[in-house]
Amino acid sequence: MNTKRTTGLLAVLAVGALALTACAGGSSAASSSGKDDELAGLSGDIGAKDFSEQYILANITSQLFNAHGADTKANTSVVGSANVRAALVSDQFLGYWEYTGTSWITYNNNTTPVQGEQAQFDATKKADAANGIAWLDPAPLNNTYAFAILSDKAKELGVTKLSDIAKLPVAEQTFCIESEFSTRDDGWPGVKKAYGLDAVPDSNVALLDTGVIYTTTAKGDTCNFGEVFQTDGRIPALGLTVMQDDKSFFPVYQGAFTVKQTTLDKYPGMADVIALVSSKLTTEEMQKLNAKADVDGDDPADIAEEWLTEQGLI
C-alpha cells in the first residue's frame, strides 16, 4: 500500500469536509441573519400613551423590532390618546398599541360598543382600515373599565358581580370614580342604568384621581367599590378583587398594535414579529408587568428587556 498516496488522499478528503462544514455554517449563519433582519430599513419611533402599560408595550415592541433588524426607539413623550393617534396619522410614530373600545368609540365616533371580543375587534379593524390604519394580531389583554373591591370586604358582603350591588343596603353602595368616568356614556351614568343603581345618592360617590382610587378602595373607609382598569398591577398588589361585569356593559378594550397600512405594505414582516408577543400578553400577564412599574417602581425599558429575555425572544 502506498502510504504517501493514502495520506494525501485523506488530507484532500479532510479539506473537503472542512469546506463543506464552513459552507453549511455560512449558510446557517446567513439563514439566521436573514431571520433576524426581516425588518432591516425600518426606523422611527414606537409611540405610547401616558401610562405605564403603554410605556412597557412600546419598549417591548421597539426592542423586539430592533432584534429583527429595525432601528426604532420607544417615544413616551406624547400626552393624551388623541395626540398619540394623531402622531400615527402624521407619521411621527411608526405605530403604537391601541385599544378596540377607544378606537371604536373615540376615533370612529360610535356610541354603542359591539358585543363580544372578536366581533368588536373585527368591527374596529374594518372601520380603521377605511382610515388607512391596520390592526395587527390582538393580545388577549382587555384593559377595560371595571369596579374592584377589597377582597375581604367582598367576602363579607357576599358580592362577586356588579348586579349584586343593588341588593346591598344603600349605605354599602359607595363608589370612588374619576371625574371623566362620571360623565362618560360608557361610565357612571350607563353603569347606574344598566345595574339599577339609580338610587345611589351623590353623597355615596367620591370623585378622585386615578391613582388615589386604588389606595382609597383598598382602605375601604371612603368607598367599597372603586373604578379601575382591569390590567392594572395595583389590583392584585393591594388585595382587590374585580367585580364581574355580568351584563357585559363595559366595552371591550382589547390591545393590539396599530400601524399605517402603507408602512405595513412596505414592511409586512412587522405582523409576524408582533405575533411573537401578542398571544403572550394576557390580562393577568399585563397586570404582573404593570405591577413592576406601578408598585415596584421599575423602569419600563428594563421591564420589557427582562420579559423579552424570559420569553426567549431576544
Side-chain angles (χ1 to χ4, degrees):
M1 181 177 183
N2 190 324
T3 304
K4 178 184 273 190
R5 182 177 179 181
T6 301
T7 302
L9 179 59
L10 290 174
V12 171
L13 290 173
V15 170
L18 286 171
L20 287 172
T21 300
C23 182
S27 175
S28 176
S31 175
S32 175
S33 176
K35 177 186 176 185
D36 292 339
D37 289 344
E38 67 264 45
L39 297 184
L42 178 67
S43 63
D45 290 1
I46 304 301
K49 303 182 187 185
D50 52 329
F51 55 94
S52 295
E53 177 168 299
Q54 285 275 308
Y55 299 160
I56 294 168
L57 290 172
N59 276 281
I60 285 175
T61 304
S62 176
Q63 292 179 30
L64 186 62
F65 277 1
N66 293 349
H68 287 260
D71 180 17
T72 67
K73 70 178 188 295
N75 185 330
T76 59
S77 64
V78 177
V79 177
S81 294
N83 292 329
V84 174
R85 170 83 167 204
L88 172 65
V89 173
S90 67
D91 293 317
Q92 179 183 346
F93 289 158
L94 286 173
Y96 75 100
W97 285 77
E98 186 54 273
Y99 305 97
T100 50
T102 302
S103 181
W104 181 250
I105 294 170
T106 305
Y107 308 138
N108 287 289
N109 303 313
N110 295 289
T111 56
T112 304
V114 177
Q115 293 295 314
E117 187 175 89
Q118 187 62 49
Q120 179 67 83
F121 177 80
D122 291 341
T124 303
K125 181 175 182 178
K126 181 179 180 180
D128 260 344
N131 300 319
I133 295 174
W135 284 66
L136 304 188
D137 286 353
L141 71 88
N142 180 13
N143 192 18
T144 189
Y145 289 110
F147 275 98
I149 182 174
L150 192 63
S151 298
D152 290 343
K153 187 67 175 180
K155 293 176 183 176
E156 176 190 326
L157 296 177
V159 294
T160 59
K161 54 187 183 293
L162 292 180
S163 59
D164 292 333
I165 299 177
K167 304 170 188 175
L168 297 173
V170 173
E172 298 287 4
Q173 297 180 34
T174 53
F175 300 84
C176 290
I177 61 176
E178 295 174 293
S179 58
E180 181 182 343
F181 184 82
S182 70
T183 60
R184 289 176 62 113
D185 290 337
D186 60 345
W188 183 237
V191 170
K192 287 199 299 182
K193 182 177 180 181
Y195 285 101
L197 300 173
D198 293 317
V200 176
D202 291 342
S203 59
N204 280 26
V205 181
L207 299 183
L208 303 173
D209 290 335
T210 304
V212 179
I213 290 176
Y214 290 84
T215 54
T216 302
T217 304
K219 291 178 182 176
D221 47 9
T222 301
C223 59
N224 285 326
F225 305 97
E227 169 220 338
V228 299
F229 293 102
Q230 199 159 272
T231 58
D232 199 292
R234 288 167 290 191
I235 293 172
L238 293 172
L240 302 177
T241 294
V242 172
M243 300 287 289
Q244 179 188 350
D245 179 16
D246 52 311
K247 293 187 178 181
S248 300
F249 167 76
F250 291 118
V252 175
Y253 286 82
Q254 187 176 18
F257 190 73
T258 59
V259 59
K260 289 184 76 171
Q261 185 63 51
T262 51
T263 304
L264 184 61
D265 290 342
K266 188 174 182 180
Y267 298 98
M270 295 174 74
D272 294 331
V273 174
I274 285 294
L276 297 174
V277 297
S278 57
S279 63
K280 301 176 185 293
L281 294 168
T282 63
T283 296
E284 295 73 22
E285 188 71 8
M286 205 67 240
Q287 279 185 348
K288 295 175 185 176
L289 294 174
N290 288 337
K292 291 178 182 291
D294 294 326
V295 179
D296 301 334
D298 294 348
D299 184 88
D302 294 336
I303 295 170
E305 182 177 7
E306 179 183 5
W307 186 79
L308 286 168
T309 302
E310 288 175 351
Q311 302 299 319
L313 295 174
I314 61 172

